[in-house]
Amino acid sequence: MYEGVVQDLIDELGRLPGVGPKSAQRIAFHLLQADPADVRRLTEVLTVVREKVRFCETCFNVAEAQQCRICLDPRRDVRLLCVVEEPKDIVAMERTREFHGRYHVLGGAISPIDGIGPDDLKITELVRRLGAEPVDEVILATNPNLNGEATATYLSRLLRSMGITVSRLASGLPVGGDLEYADEVTLGRAFEGRRVVDA
Amino acid sequence: MHLRHLTLADFRSYESAEVPLAPGITTFVGRNGQGKTNLVEAAYYLATLGSHRVAQDAPLVRAGAEQAIVRAAVMRAEREQRLELEINPGRANRGRLGKAPLGRPRELLGAVRTVMFAPEDLALVKADPAGRRRFLDELLVARQPRWAGARGDYDKILKQRNALLKSARGAPNRAAVLESLPVWDTHLAQVGANLIYARLRLMQDLQPYLATAYEEVSGGASDARTTYRSSLHGDLAQTIACGEVPQVEEIESAMHESFARQQAAEVDRGLTLVGPHRDDLELRLGALPAKGYASHGESWSFALGLKLAAFTLLRHDLDTDPVLILDDVFAELDAGRRERLAEMIGDAEQVLITAAVGADVPAQLTGATFEVVKGAVHPR
């Protein structure tokens, strides 16, 4: 235990995701020894981020205005809508530069153990969007784990009854990987999702 | 297969131990509480990633230490493979196969396979269904390690579904909460049906070995049978009890049907009442259930028969013998059963035996003997 404010700092840092007690201690002492200007910049960003950043009123991505940059972009294809769990998933999708449609952020996945049901996600908002926007296809890009799959199942049941084409991101072998190192679940999925090769 | 050596660091009572092993019989002799069982428990843990004595990892780590490490070298078909497992209570365990660190310890499964018989196994006959389900599922994993993943998924989905049922019980708008129940039904039925199917196929394969093993252990009686008691509603449970194996799709739709019929009761109790986690492996001697009817001696024969059947099944399946572990069992058996057991295991590639008194072990089981005193292992 350290005295007073140093311990407070370590405790606060330790509450952040991915930071254990040892890392918290290291970061705290790094901050104590760092250039005061660097620390001041960090403090300012921390203060401003909560005030300035909001969530896009359409897709719930992080935004600095009422709508995020993607929803405001007229070049985006409004007929394609990709549903993700978190804003960070949008960043990952955008890095691919493959997708030119728009997004919808659910804000998590269904998990009854954590008390998260469909009502706690932005699903009503999604349905409302589908009523108002000319969307042809919804791409479910929730995580390929149990809760993500459950959320995808829930959404596909709901949306199919509305007559919308629903697709799910393929899961399977990582590109550049070796078959022999793939675990059996992944390999099984890859088999299920195999495609006929066009000559 | 056989273990060539076993190394422990901060495992149970051992600060460190290094035990060279050879094919054939190895006996660990020592008074109670000296650490004999801890040695074979470590070997069993490497094979199953679980202990036969405790459900949590914390008791496996020596008091005061942060982690325990178990290392072994396994010989299979003239090839040596090295295994290492770091047991970190409260954090993820870490495995290593050869020099390569594994993404998950689960990938260690299959590298070494064991069948253990211990005094706790009497519960297979006398106690609750949970132990019998564990016997089936462990054998399933020993045969095909991928079932460990399916088993884990099933438990996670089950927990989610139960949490949803519980929250519906207390909610004023029950229907709204249950709106997402079909999602969990779908996933649970899918994984659950596959698990039930695999268990049924396993039992089919096990039955002939069980009949033979029981006959040999008990000295003549050949009426040991098993019946799968399914928690499904409707005709399919009956079909299964008669020993038939339905298609996975049939089991899946029967699960859905049972969910539908049971919904009120499930919400009432906040529990999933149908599925592999509620099934039982009924053990019978002729027409009578072993539980409640079998004598003490017959119960031992049955428990031993199940384990020996598992051993023979794996031997045929894998083209190599699993390591057979007999933990403190000779003291529990009468002279006749002792002798017959000794005869049956004489040709196993490797048998690890623990005993408090060396004289309990039948004389024909000769091999290396180690003395275990206060957490130290000495060759005798």
Side-chain angles (χ1 to χ4, degrees):
Chain A
M1 287 290 275
Y2 294 91
E3 278 179 34
V5 72
V6 178
Q7 188 61 41
D8 289 347
L9 177 60
I10 294 173
D11 289 345
E12 287 305 317
L13 288 169
R15 286 165 59 177
L16 299 175
V19 181
K22 280 194 180 144
S23 306
Q25 190 175 316
R26 235 172 75 205
I27 299 169
F29 280 97
H30 170 82
L31 291 174
L32 286 178
Q33 287 160 3
D35 185 348
D38 289 344
V39 178
R40 201 172 311 120
R41 242 189 351 264
L42 178 66
T43 323
E44 274 163 21
V45 175
L46 282 176
T47 324
V48 170
V49 75
R50 284 307 295 240
E51 287 163 8
K52 241 180 145 182
V53 170
R54 298 184 287 180
F55 291 94
C56 170
E57 290 178 358
T58 310
C59 74
F60 304 97
N61 186 11
V62 285
E64 290 200 8
Q66 281 192 332
Q67 285 195 303
C68 72
R69 159 183 77 70
I70 296 171
C71 287
L72 289 170
D73 187 345
R75 291 167 302 175
R76 289 277 174 164
D77 189 344
V78 291
R79 290 168 303 173
L80 290 176
L81 190 66
C82 180
V83 178
V84 295
E85 290 181 20
E86 304 286 351
K88 63 181 167 24
D89 300 328
I90 294 185
V91 178
M93 296 288 280
E94 284 296 286
R95 271 201 304 263
T96 68
R97 301 181 181 279
E98 286 288 330
F99 181 69
H100 303 289
R102 300 210 280 175
Y103 294 94
H104 189 85
V105 181
L106 293 172
I110 299 177
S111 175
I113 288 178
D114 307 305
I116 302 171
D119 293 346
D120 302 299
L121 305 175
K122 305 289 185 196
I123 290 176
T124 325
E125 290 82 352
L126 172 65
V127 172
R128 200 178 304 139
R129 271 185 87 177
L130 294 173
E133 296 172 27
V135 176
D136 290 340
E137 180 183 349
V138 171
I139 300 154
L140 300 177
T142 51
N143 289 325
N145 55 28
L146 287 175
N147 296 343
E149 293 290 355
T151 310
T153 310
Y154 179 84
L155 287 174
S156 67
R157 282 160 171 266
L158 181 75
L159 302 181
R160 270 203 203 111
S161 67
M162 298 170 60
I164 294 167
T165 304
V166 181
S167 58
R168 175 95 176 98
L169 280 195
S171 25
L173 296 170
V175 175
D178 279 322
L179 269 189
E180 65 165 324
Y181 295 122
D183 69 275
E184 294 177 28
V185 177
T186 307
L187 207 50
R189 287 281 193 81
F191 254 110
E192 272 171 29
R194 69 185 183 276
R195 283 189 310 195
V196 175
V197 181
D198 305 321
Chain B
M1 62 175 68
H2 65 267
L3 296 173
R4 190 135 86 172
H5 75 77
L6 187 65
T7 309
L8 310 184
D10 293 324
F11 185 88
R12 289 277 193 185
S13 54
Y14 290 94
E15 192 177 328
S16 75
E18 172 84 51
V19 187
L21 294 165
I25 312 279
T26 302
T27 309
F28 299 99
V29 181
R31 284 186 316 182
N32 292 328
Q34 304 295 305
K36 306 178 300 281
T37 294
N38 299 349
L39 288 173
V40 291
E41 184 183 30
Y44 178 81
Y45 195 98
L46 268 185
T48 61
L49 303 182
S51 156
H52 67 301
R53 296 196 290 179
V54 287
Q56 264 85 42
D57 280 346
L60 301 178
V61 178
R62 194 172 64 93
E66 268 189 30
Q67 56 169 212
I69 296 175
V70 181
R71 282 191 202 96
V74 187
M75 290 293 291
R76 181 175 177 175
E78 311 280 303
R79 277 172 181 280
E80 187 183 89
Q81 194 167 40
R82 286 172 181 273
L83 276 68
E84 181 182 309
L85 188 69
E86 233 180 78
I87 303 168
N88 303 310
R91 284 184 299 134
N93 292 348
R94 276 212 295 236
R96 204 180 263 271
L97 202 56
K99 287 196 175 117
L102 301 174
R104 306 179 230 199
R106 197 190 275 169
E107 291 167 42
L108 267 183
L109 290 171
V112 54
R113 309 199 201 208
T114 59
V115 170
M116 178 185 277
F117 186 58
E120 286 86 350
D121 288 328
L122 195 58
L124 277 175
V125 185
K126 299 203 161 182
D128 301 337
R132 291 185 286 279
R133 288 193 292 266
R134 195 174 330 115
F135 167 74
L136 278 181
D137 292 345
E138 254 173 36
L139 186 53
L140 214 52
V141 172
R143 252 184 138 185
Q144 291 176 298
R146 72 189 175 93
W147 285 106
R151 193 74 195 69
D153 281 354
Y154 184 82
D155 288 341
K156 279 186 211 150
I157 302 169
L158 183 67
K159 273 192 195 133
Q160 292 283 20
R161 191 173 186 274
N162 286 345
L164 186 69
L165 289 167
K166 263 191 207 96
S167 64
R169 184 172 56 177
N173 52 341
R174 200 173 263 201
V177 178
L178 290 178
E179 193 210 342
S180 58
L181 188 63
V183 169
W184 300 107
D185 291 356
T186 305
H187 287 251
L188 198 68
Q190 200 178 24
V191 183
N194 277 296
L195 193 58
I196 292 176
Y197 178 78
R199 283 181 182 174
L200 294 175
R201 290 291 301 273
L202 174 67
M203 285 175 57
Q204 247 183 358
D205 296 344
L206 192 67
Q207 180 59 50
Y209 298 123
L210 172 64
T212 316
Y214 184 81
E215 189 177 345
E216 285 182 39
V217 177
S218 63
S222 63
D223 47 3
R225 298 271 179 284
T226 56
T227 303
Y228 194 81
R229 295 280 172 213
S230 160
S231 54
L232 290 170
H233 286 234
D235 300 339
L236 206 68
Q238 198 52 47
T239 314
I240 289 172
C242 290
E244 280 176 54
V245 182
Q247 298 293 309
V248 177
E249 294 74 20
E250 290 176 75
I251 304 173
E252 196 174 336
S253 64
M255 278 187 78
H256 276 290
E257 218 175 284
S258 307
F259 289 147
R261 279 211 237 162
Q262 282 272 43
Q263 204 190 73
E266 289 197 325
V267 174
D268 244 21
R269 297 180 52 185
L271 272 179
T272 300
L273 299 173
V274 181
H277 67 291
R278 302 281 291 194
D279 295 350
D280 192 7
L281 171 69
E282 190 187 64
L283 309 177
R284 282 183 301 118
L285 286 171
L288 295 174
K291 189 177 175 177
Y293 287 91
S295 70
H296 192 66
E298 284 172 327
S299 300
W300 270 112
S301 293
F302 213 129
L304 192 49
L306 283 169
K307 288 301 173 98
L308 290 171
F311 176 80
T312 326
L313 177 75
L314 291 176
R315 162 184 274 183
H316 284 272
D317 248 33
L318 306 173
D319 260 346
T320 179
D321 282 4
V323 176
L324 186 60
I325 300 173
L326 302 174
D327 181 20
D328 249 341
V329 288
F330 284 105
E332 308 273 351
L333 301 175
D334 58 38
R337 287 188 175 85
R338 255 185 229 178
E339 295 300 318
R340 288 192 292 272
L341 174 60
E343 248 162 65
M344 292 169 72
I345 61 172
D347 67 334
E349 187 174 333
Q350 186 173 48
V351 187
L352 308 179
I353 297 172
T354 71
V357 184
D360 282 346
V361 181
Q364 71 238 62
L365 296 176
T366 48
T369 303
F370 290 91
E371 212 147 340
V372 183
V373 183
K374 287 186 186 158
V377 188
H378 306 288
R380 183 151 79 182

